[in-house]
């Protein structure tokens, strides 16, 4: 997308963020964070100090007002440099900020949203389970009322960033399983609560935040931790299917876009600097065609991602468009990165170069936030393709 078409505040934010990335997220540090699976909490804190966590929060709660395009731009830029910073940014602005704005009670908003803005408070998603993936309404984790408390038992899987989060945004069965879609509630479970155990999974990529199995054994939280309080009891399904789901799809698209953009930049520079047979490999037609294809595909990915973001900023219904965006961008970005790896040859396979990390990270994008297969099903269903 041509930056000249962006509004002045977006351009200013882009410039500010680029200076921040150059200063606080140099490539040598990023490689170390990835190697050590380290979350740079001090960098996350500095992002909050810049006011970046307020991009999804209304001014009345201390934010700068909901701006999905600006949020997506920040996700793209941060994830293009480091998932160890970009991932937690999403967990603060989107998992915490957007969800609180959309479905929290007024008391919860007043208490928690200022902490998102000022401190970069992080939520982890406790949705998937060992035997529950796409069919999230089949969750087996339970929560029951006991006096003014909730008692939670069960297990969650692929709970990214759980140990760096303040709350796990937990989907629990709160009524008979026969009424599958009604008896569900979302509960804010503090990660310090007694009875929680964490087991880290050794994932291929997305280093920095950690991915965990989380087990709840008679974990007790106050009833006012139900998302939306009493109005949220047995009402999680409608909360999960709100605009937040559409935004989550383009969050992942923006992550993939950032990774692909970084891969193209690295391959482009490498092709101009690497010499074989007495000249840069950028002079060879096969390399030029690979880079031309990568640039063209990247342009298309960026166009559809920001178009979807602008639809959401205008308050338009965009479930179909966000599913198409998530599908197209994540699959195309994977093609881009794997092609760029080939430009680097053997150097694209070693940890000395960033390309190896981009390959590991991009492979998760068609899976996160609703797999490509799920998006294809959704697209056909929304377009009413005959079954």
């Amino acid at each position: 997308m041509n930056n000249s078409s962006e509004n002045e505040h977006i351009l200013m934010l882009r410039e500010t963020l680029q200076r921040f990335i150059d200063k606080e997220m140099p490539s040598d540090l990023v490689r170390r964070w990835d190697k050590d699976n380290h979350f740079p909490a001090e960098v996350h804190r500095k992002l909050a100090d810049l006011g970046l966590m307020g991009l999804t929060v209304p001014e009345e709660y201390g934010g700068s007002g909901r701006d999905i395009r600006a949020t997506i731009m920040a996700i793209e830029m941060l994830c293009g440099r480091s998932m160890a910073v970009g991932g937690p940014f999403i967990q603060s602005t989107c998992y915490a900020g957007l969800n609180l704005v959309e479905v929290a009670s007024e008391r919860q908003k007043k208490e928690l949203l200022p902490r998102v803005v000022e401190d970069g408070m992080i939520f982890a998603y406790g949705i998937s389970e060992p035997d529950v993936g796409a069919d999230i309404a089949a969750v087996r984790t339970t929560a029951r009322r006991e006096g003014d408390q909730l008692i939670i038992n069960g297990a969650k899987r692929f709970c990214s960033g759980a140990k760096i989060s303040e709350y796990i945004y937990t989907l629990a069965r709160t009524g008979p399983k026969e009424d599958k879609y009604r008896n569900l509630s979302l509960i804010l479970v503090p990660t310090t609560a007694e009875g929680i155990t964490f087991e880290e999974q050794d994932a291929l990529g997305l280093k920095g935040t950690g991915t965990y199995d989380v087990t709840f054994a008679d974990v007790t939280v106050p009833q006012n931790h139900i998302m939306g309080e009493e109005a949220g009891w047995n009402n999680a399904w409608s909360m999960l299917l709100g605009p937040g789901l559409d935004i989550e799809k383009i969050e992942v698209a923006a992550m993939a876009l950032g990774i692909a953009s970084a891969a193209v930049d690295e391959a482009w520079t490498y092709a101009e600097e690497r010499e074989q047979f007495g000249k840069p490999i950028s002079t060879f037609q096969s390399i030029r065609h690979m880079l031309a294809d990568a640039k063209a595909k990247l342009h298309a990915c960026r166009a559809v991602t920001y178009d979807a973001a602008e639809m959401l900023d205008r308050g338009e219904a965009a479930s179909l468009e966000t599913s198409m965006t998530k599908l197209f961008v994540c699959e195309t970005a994977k093609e881009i990165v794997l092609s760029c790896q080939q430009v680097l040859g053997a150097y694209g396979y070693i940890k000395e170069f960033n390309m190896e990390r981009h390959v590991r990270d991009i492979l998760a994008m068609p899976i996160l936030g609703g797999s490509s297969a799920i998006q294809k099903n959704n697209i056909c269903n929304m377009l009413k393709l005959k079954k």
Side-chain angles (χ1 to χ4, degrees):
M1 183 169 291
N2 188 342
N3 290 353
S4 64
S5 68
E6 294 180 330
N7 294 331
E8 184 176 354
H9 84 281
I10 294 285
L11 284 171
M12 291 177 63
L13 179 60
R14 183 184 292 279
E15 292 168 1
T16 298
L17 197 48
Q18 189 60 61
R19 288 194 297 269
F20 179 91
I21 290 169
D22 292 341
K23 179 181 178 182
E24 304 292 344
M25 302 167 62
S27 291
D28 58 337
L29 270 182
V30 169
R31 281 193 289 271
R32 192 183 312 161
W33 298 336
D34 179 76
K35 180 181 179 181
D36 297 340
N37 200 12
H38 171 69
F39 165 52
E42 68 286 354
V43 178
H44 184 78
R45 175 72 224 191
K46 289 177 181 178
L47 277 175
D49 291 342
L50 274 180
L52 266 293
M53 308 311 181
L55 290 174
T56 58
V57 177
E59 293 180 11
E60 63 197 278
Y61 303 107
S64 55
R66 173 173 142 150
D67 190 333
I68 301 304
R69 182 188 171 106
T71 304
I72 293 305
M73 182 197 71
I75 292 171
E76 177 193 351
M77 293 181 71
L78 291 171
C79 292
R81 180 59 61 93
S82 171
M83 288 302 304
V85 176
F89 173 78
I90 295 170
Q91 290 181 249
S92 182
T93 55
C94 300
Y95 291 10
L98 280 173
N99 282 314
L100 286 166
V101 169
E102 287 191 2
V103 298
S105 68
E106 187 59 29
R107 182 196 65 79
Q108 290 168 334
K109 291 177 184 179
K110 288 179 178 178
E111 177 185 341
L112 298 175
L113 283 172
R115 295 177 58 196
V116 173
V117 176
E118 296 166 13
D119 304 326
M121 184 174 65
I122 293 171
F123 281 11
Y125 274 172
I127 308 294
S128 298
E129 296 183 357
D131 296 316
V132 176
D135 185 13
I136 61 173
V139 292
R140 299 177 182 178
T141 296
T142 62
R144 71 178 191 274
R145 285 172 153 165
E146 197 168 285
D148 60 356
Q149 304 289 310
L150 299 174
I151 312 299
I152 303 164
N153 285 280
K156 295 296 178 179
R157 175 152 287 177
F158 303 126
C159 198
S160 298
K163 290 200 78 171
I164 66 169
S165 300
E166 187 152 344
Y167 292 100
I168 299 175
Y169 192 71
T170 304
L171 182 65
R173 171 76 51 202
T174 48
K177 64 181 180 180
E178 288 74 20
D179 202 348
K180 181 176 178 180
Y181 295 98
R182 282 182 53 84
N183 295 322
L184 297 167
S185 302
L186 284 161
I187 301 165
L188 298 179
V189 182
T191 53
T192 56
E194 187 175 349
I196 295 182
T197 57
F198 301 90
E199 182 179 350
E200 188 167 8
Q201 298 164 322
D202 190 9
L204 178 67
L206 307 183
K207 302 295 186 179
T209 57
T211 299
Y212 296 87
D213 281 346
V214 180
T215 303
F216 305 106
D218 288 333
V219 175
T220 302
V221 301
Q223 284 199 38
N224 62 14
H225 281 221
I226 301 166
M227 197 67 163
E229 298 193 65
E230 193 58 36
W233 185 251
N234 287 339
N235 194 33
W237 190 247
S238 64
M239 295 177 173
L240 290 168
L241 294 183
L245 181 61
D246 292 333
I247 297 171
E248 182 184 4
K249 288 181 283 187
I250 62 168
E251 288 164 21
V252 182
M255 293 162 68
L257 178 60
I259 296 166
S261 181
V264 171
D265 288 345
E266 183 171 9
W268 194 276
T269 300
Y270 179 88
E272 292 184 323
E273 294 177 350
R274 173 71 166 170
E275 291 191 1
Q276 290 290 285
F277 305 103
K279 55 186 178 181
I281 65 170
S282 61
T283 63
F284 301 142
Q285 188 178 66
S286 61
I287 299 296
R288 297 175 74 83
H289 285 185
M290 290 169 72
L291 291 173
D293 282 342
K295 282 283 190 179
K297 290 176 179 178
L298 188 67
H299 177 77
C301 287
R302 184 166 285 117
V304 297
T305 300
Y306 283 95
D307 180 67
E310 288 169 2
M311 288 183 70
L312 293 171
D313 271 332
R314 293 193 297 266
E316 298 175 13
S319 294
L320 174 62
E321 289 78 6
T322 54
S323 285
M324 288 178 169
T325 298
K326 203 278 177 184
L327 171 65
F328 175 77
V329 174
C330 291
E331 292 293 346
T332 305
K334 183 173 73 171
E335 295 173 6
I336 292 170
V337 174
L338 293 179
S339 177
C340 288
Q341 184 189 36
Q342 293 181 50
V343 173
L344 270 69
Y347 291 103
Y349 199 67
I350 61 175
K351 292 183 181 294
E352 180 184 349
F353 285 73
N354 294 324
M355 189 64 71
E356 180 267 349
R357 183 179 74 253
H358 299 327
V359 170
R360 286 188 285 109
D361 288 344
I362 201 65
L363 292 176
M365 297 302 123
I367 302 169
L368 300 181
S371 69
S372 292
I374 291 296
Q375 301 309 328
K376 290 176 183 179
N377 288 343
N378 290 343
I379 290 164
C380 289
N381 290 340
M382 284 185 277
L383 291 175
K384 302 186 185 308
L385 181 65
K386 186 175 180 180
K387 294 183 179 181

